[in-house]
Amino acid sequence: MYRQILVPLDGSNISLRGLDHALALAKDQAARVRILNVVDDLVLVNAMAEPAAVAFDNVLDSMRTEGRKVLERAMARAKAAGVNAEAVQVASRGRAVSEVIVSGARRSR
């Protein structure tokens, strides 16, 4: 029996399909869902190496804003499904997104 299910979400169609499956499983198991959005600052590291005039803070703010929108829509889906859920956004802080997700799963035990 599952007590808690971690769902990494980036807003892509495939991640939303994963969310829907997790919500169905959570409803069946009376489990809680933790929806995780990771703001990947490593994406910007390569862009910063280029002479492009990209405002680092503006791009990060935009990524955070879009991530919050994804989380809000996910929470609406969870509510509609009757599933107890929480939404969390974290920054990668130079780590790979996969590392952040695994770390979040370990802390959620």
Side-chain angles (χ1 to χ4, degrees):
M1 180 174 227
Y2 295 99
R3 291 189 334 241
Q4 185 163 315
I5 301 169
L6 178 65
V7 183
L9 195 63
D10 62 8
S12 66
N13 287 335
I14 196 77
S15 72
L16 292 173
R17 286 180 54 198
L19 173 64
D20 290 339
H21 285 287
L23 292 175
L25 180 61
K27 186 166 185 144
D28 178 66
Q29 300 286 307
R32 180 175 176 82
V33 172
R34 183 170 197 191
I35 305 164
L36 175 67
N37 174 259
V38 180
V39 178
D40 184 9
D41 54 18
L42 279 179
V43 181
L44 298 175
V45 171
N46 292 333
M48 295 290 287
E50 310 237 345
V54 176
F56 186 76
D57 289 338
N58 290 344
V59 174
L60 271 179
D61 285 344
S62 177
M63 291 169 69
R64 287 185 198 109
T65 299
E66 289 306 310
R68 282 192 297 272
K69 289 177 186 176
V70 165
L71 291 174
E72 287 171 10
R73 289 190 296 270
M75 288 298 292
R77 280 173 117 132
K79 184 176 181 180
V83 173
N84 185 8
E86 70 173 323
V88 179
Q89 184 179 71
V90 297
S92 66
R93 295 195 173 108
R95 297 179 296 162
V97 172
S98 59
E99 291 176 23
V100 177
I101 293 168
V102 170
S103 176
R106 285 187 179 128
R107 278 195 305 273
S108 296
R109 290 183 184 176

